Amino acid sequence: DIQMTQSPSTLSASVGDRVTITCRASQSISTWLAWYQQKPGKAPKLLIYKASSLESGVPSRFGGSGSGTEFTLTISSLQPDDFATYYCQQYNTYFVTFGGGTKVEIK
Amino acid sequence: EVQLVQSGAEVKKPGDSLKISCQGSGYIFNSYYIAWVRQMPGKGLEWMGIIYPGDSDAIYNPSFQGQVTISAGKSISTAYLQWSSLKASDTAIYYCARAELLTSGSYFFDYWGQGALVTVSS
């Protein structure tokens, strides 16, 4: 199976900051990568698919990039509603796998 | 509006059986896959398996093969996850999620159920 490694595991930031989260795959997955946001007690929510395509209704401050084995999720200006845990997920094979998560905390 | 509504929280004893459900609405249920995802307390997301309700064909994560059964009742737009003998280590939140098979032969999850907390304790 393909291993997904996210960094950092925790990130402290302030409202208005530019935030970048990295996700690395153990082998090339082309651009078959999704990002999700999960808030405490809630289900994950799809933000981005195919590495850089924004899901309908997701604010444009969220952006994704990368291909092959290295990917990034960027929040251009962190808002109070963005404090949450973020997961990447590869879907290069039917055996999908998630990264370990990055918790974005208030600084 | 697409919705996946899961059955409620369960408290069970080790060795008990359990079947939890996920009912879809607002879309053609039989045309999309339904996956199950586990989240153990304070941990990340793990894909357990996926089913195509149109033909009830299910694929499992090898880590969960033989431990759970995924099924679907297409006439009632509902998918199921069941255990025949629960263990304390099955304590987790279980999410169902909708997926569409892509050209990669795989899928991501565009809609999720609200989650069902399963607690297994003696």
Side-chain angles (χ1 to χ4, degrees):
Chain A
D1 49 323
I2 299 173
Q3 308 299 319
M4 305 301 292
T5 303
Q6 284 184 236
S7 60
S9 55
T10 306
L11 185 160
S12 296
S14 302
V15 173
D17 284 354
R18 182 181 181 87
V19 166
T20 299
I21 298 168
T22 298
C23 179
R24 289 187 173 87
S26 60
Q27 65 187 72
S28 178
I29 58 170
S30 183
T31 55
W32 303 118
L33 185 100
W35 290 96
Y36 301 88
Q37 176 193 67
Q38 187 179 33
K39 296 181 180 178
K42 299 294 186 182
K45 173 188 172 185
L46 176 66
L47 297 177
I48 287 169
Y49 59 95
K50 209 164 186 301
S52 61
S53 296
L54 199 65
E55 173 70 348
S56 176
V58 173
S60 58
R61 63 180 179 273
F62 290 93
S65 64
S67 65
T69 61
E70 187 153 337
F71 303 85
T72 58
L73 173 70
T74 301
I75 309 172
S76 60
S77 178
L78 197 65
Q79 299 301 301
D81 191 47
D82 302 338
F83 291 97
T85 300
Y86 294 84
Y87 294 94
C88 61
Q89 176 227 327
Q90 67 79 19
Y91 53 101
N92 187 64
T93 68
Y94 81 89
F95 187 169
V96 304
T97 48
F98 293 89
T102 296
K103 185 175 182 180
V104 177
E105 297 181 326
I106 300 172
K107 192 172 185 179
Chain B
E1 178 194 8
V2 173
Q3 282 194 306
L4 295 174
V5 178
Q6 297 186 232
S7 49
E10 301 274 1
V11 179
K12 294 289 187 180
K13 296 188 185 309
D16 284 352
S17 62
L18 176 65
K19 190 174 189 177
I20 62 176
S21 65
C22 168
Q23 184 170 41
S25 62
Y27 71 101
I28 301 173
F29 185 75
N30 296 342
S31 297
Y32 290 81
Y33 289 73
I34 293 289
W36 289 94
V37 176
R38 183 175 78 173
Q39 188 166 40
M40 298 180 78
K43 302 298 184 183
L45 305 169
E46 300 173 89
W47 172 73
M48 300 176 70
I50 194 163
I51 189 165
Y52 186 65
D55 59 13
S56 291
D57 186 28
I59 298 173
Y60 295 86
N61 178 332
S63 296
F64 293 93
Q65 180 93 44
Q67 308 304 307
V68 297
T69 301
I70 295 171
S71 60
K74 62 181 181 180
S75 63
I76 53 172
S77 302
T78 302
Y80 303 97
L81 177 67
Q82 68 180 91
W83 296 259
S84 59
S85 181
L86 286 160
K87 302 185 280 287
S89 58
D90 292 318
T91 295
I93 297 172
Y94 294 88
Y95 293 102
C96 62
R98 191 184 83 159
E100 183 177 5
L101 190 64
L102 304 169
T103 55
S104 67
S106 191
Y107 39 82
F108 58 86
F109 309 114
D110 57 356
Y111 289 92
W112 294 66
Q114 81 275 21
L117 174 62
V118 174
T119 303
V120 184
S121 174
S122 54

